[in-house]
Amino acid sequence: MDLLKDSDRRTTSVQWPDEVDAHLDLLVRLAANEGILISRAQMLSALVADANLNRTVVAKIARRYLSQLKAGDLVRAAPPDDVLPAVRHRGRQRTPRA
C-alpha cells in the first residue's frame, strides 16, 4: 500500500500571520530535535491529516484562532530558541520581513 505522503499532490497558496509561519518553523525544529526530518509542507500535511474530525473540537479550534489568540501568544509559548536544532529548508529561501 502506498504512503499518503507519496500520493498525488495539490499546490496551494497560504497566507497567514508571520507569527503562525514562525510557529510552523518551530514545529519542524521540534520534530528535528526528535530525529524526524520533515519539510514545512510535510508538517502541514501531517497536522491536517491528524486533525480531529469532531465538529465541536474543530469549531473550538476555529473559534480560538479567530477570536481569542492574540499577537504574541505563540511566541510566548515557544521554548528557548537555543535548545532546538537549526533546520535548513529546501528550495527558495524566504527572506524575513523587516
Side-chain angles (χ1 to χ4, degrees), residues 1 14 45 84 86 90 94:
M1 181 175 276
V14 177
S45 296
L84 297 175
R90 292 179 289 196
R94 295 172 293 126

Side-chain angles (χ1 to χ4, degrees), residues 28-46:
V28 169
R29 292 177 67 199
L30 287 167
N33 194 56
E34 294 297 314
I36 301 168
L37 300 180
I38 190 167
S39 70
R40 290 165 46 90
Q42 289 171 325
M43 179 60 77
L44 285 171
S45 296

Side-chain angles (χ1 to χ4, degrees), residues 4-79:
L4 179 58
K5 73 175 186 70
D6 298 325
S7 61
D8 291 341
R9 305 242 174 236
R10 173 171 297 240
T11 300
T12 63
S13 175
V14 177
Q15 289 186 346
W16 52 24
D18 288 335
E19 189 172 341
V20 173
D21 193 65
H23 202 69
L24 174 60
D25 284 338
L26 174 61
L27 294 174
V28 169
R29 292 177 67 199
L30 287 167
N33 194 56
E34 294 297 314
I36 301 168
L37 300 180
I38 190 167
S39 70
R40 290 165 46 90
Q42 289 171 325
M43 179 60 77
L44 285 171
S45 296
L47 292 169
V48 171
D50 194 49
N52 190 314
L53 296 180
N54 177 293
R55 64 180 171 219
T56 304
V57 172
V58 172
K60 181 179 178 181
I61 291 167
R63 187 176 299 109
R64 179 173 182 258
Y65 177 75
L66 293 172
S67 63
Q68 295 173 356
L69 277 177
K70 305 283 189 256
D73 283 353
L74 298 180
V75 174
R76 283 188 284 281

